[in-house]
């Protein structure tokens, strides 16, 4: 058990390192452009907020995993772990809501519809980005507060003390309360998920209408609007797929409290969960021209330095 846990922890550290590099790169490039130009575009503000939220989420997941493997006594105390649960729920909601804001922004900036309400919102989208992000932050804090209220101080002790018979019934009640609370709070994240899904479907509809219009005009080549549609759809669909994987990993970690090998199941679930904030960052980098060009410059520069050192 200890050997398996440590191997999984090493893999988690590798995934964490990749995720930190990708998200830190997004935040750093956008921050440098902000300082240079003394202003920041709406898309860069959303991407930076998303990257920062995912950096925090990565740290929380790795911290929880490390404490479970390396410091099990700390894991058994409720006060410290309730704080981790709170920040995990907070960063989880922030990451999902900011990704949804990105999907909505893509939709309004790229889609082509002529409904008056859509045109009005398309015209105002840049003005409400900052307020929307602050609103997501406030809502995420509010929705995360029940984690600190509904968890008993000695619940996590049940994870490490399943062998004590006199705690069996008590722990079973606490596990049920904990699991139901976590599932309820994370069910809330399905709402932004469906909003992103709707944005994706509307982008498909917009691309279909645009392609049809191009065919009627006897223009067979792909124009910039079509390229923008495809790029936005790739970013949104990658988020949707990775979020599904992340959500399944959460279910594994939550239901693990009813499994015989709780610790191993929790670590395995967190290992899968790390794929979402780590992998999506590089998809966003490759899908953004400015970030992609900056990434290629850094890549070739590092490759050149390594090549010279070998010489």
């Amino acid at each position: 058990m200890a050997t398996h846990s440590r191997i999984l922890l090493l893999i988690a550290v590798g995934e964490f390192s990749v995720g930190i590099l990708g998200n830190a790169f997004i935040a750093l490039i956008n921050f440098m452009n902000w300082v240079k130009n003394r202003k920041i575009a709406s898309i860069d503000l959303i991407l930076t907020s998303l990257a920062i939220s995912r950096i925090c989420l990565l740290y929380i997941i790795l911290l929880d995993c490390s404490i479970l493997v390396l410091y099990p006594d700390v894991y058994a105390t409720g006060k410290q772990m309730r704080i981790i649960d709170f920040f995990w729920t907070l960063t989880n909601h922030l990451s999902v809501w900011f990704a949804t804001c990105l999907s909505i922004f893509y939709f309004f900036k790229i889609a082509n519809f002529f409904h008056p309400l859509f045109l009005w919102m398309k015209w105002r989208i840049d003005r409400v980005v900052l307020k929307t992000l602050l609103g997501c932050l406030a809502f995420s804090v509010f929705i995360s507060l029940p984690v600190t209220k509904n968890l008993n101080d000695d619940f996590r002790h049940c994870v490490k003390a399943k062998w004590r018979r006199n705690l069996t019934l008590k722990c079973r009640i606490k596990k049920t309360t904990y699991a139901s609370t976590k599932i309820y709070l994370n069910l809330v994240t399905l709402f932004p998920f469906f909003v992103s899904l709707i944005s994706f479907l509307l982008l498909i509809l917009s691309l279909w209408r645009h392609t049809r219009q191009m065919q009627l005009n006897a223009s067979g080549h792909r124009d910039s609007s079509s390229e923008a549609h495809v790029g936005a759809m790739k970013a949104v669909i990658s988020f949707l797929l990775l979020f599904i994987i992340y959500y399944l990993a959460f279910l594994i970690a939550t239901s693990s409290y009813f499994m015989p090998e709780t610790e191993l199941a929790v670590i395995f679930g967190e290992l899968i969960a790390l794929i979402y904030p780590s992998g999506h960052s590089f998809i966003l980098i490759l899908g953004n021209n400015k970030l992609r060009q900056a990434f290629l410059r850094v890549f070739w520069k590092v490759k050149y330095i390594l090549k010279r050192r070998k010489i």
Side-chain angles (χ1 to χ4, degrees), residues 34 40-43 45-46 49 98 101 105 124-138:
W34 186 6
I40 185 170
S42 298
I43 183 65
L45 180 60
I46 297 174
S49 302
F98 286 165
C101 290
F105 185 84
R124 288 183 56 86
I125 187 67
D126 286 307
R127 302 182 182 182
V128 300
V129 165
L130 180 59
K131 295 180 181 178
T132 302
L133 295 176
L134 292 176
C136 291
L137 174 61

Side-chain angles (χ1 to χ4, degrees), residues 3 42 46 52 62 75 82 84 87 89 95-97 101 118 172 195 200 211 233 259 287 291 294:
T3 303
S42 298
I46 297 174
I52 294 174
L62 184 65
Y75 199 89
R82 281 193 302 170
I84 292 181
F87 282 105
T89 305
S95 176
V96 175
W97 280 103
C101 290
F118 173 82
R172 189 174 300 171
V195 172
F200 173 71
T211 304
M233 287 166 55
M259 298 178 183
L291 293 176

Side-chain angles (χ1 to χ4, degrees), residues 10-23 58 62 278 282:
L10 289 176
I11 298 175
V13 170
E15 290 184 314
F16 165 82
S17 302
V18 172
I20 290 296
L21 287 175
N23 287 289
L58 286 165
L62 184 65
S278 300
F282 287 94

Side-chain angles (χ1 to χ4, degrees), residues 291-304:
L291 293 176
R292 184 173 64 250
Q293 292 174 4
F295 180 80
L296 290 175
R297 287 197 299 268
V298 173
F299 174 78
W300 288 114
K301 189 172 183 179
V302 171
K303 186 177 180 179
Y304 175 75

Side-chain angles (χ1 to χ4, degrees), residues 15 57 61 64 88 92 178 182-183 186 189-190 240-257 259 262-277:
E15 290 184 314
L57 179 60
I61 295 177
D64 186 77
W88 191 342
N92 177 38
Y178 173 81
K182 294 287 285 185
I183 291 175
N186 282 273
T189 59
L190 291 180
L240 295 175
L241 294 176
L242 289 173
F243 177 80
I244 292 174
I245 296 174
Y246 175 80
Y247 203 82
L248 292 176
F250 158 76
L251 292 178
I252 293 175
T254 303
S255 61
S256 64
Y257 295 104
M259 298 178 183
T262 299
E263 298 91 337
L264 187 60
V266 170
I267 298 172
F268 183 73
E270 292 177 348
L271 195 66
I272 300 175
L274 285 168
I275 298 175
Y276 159 64

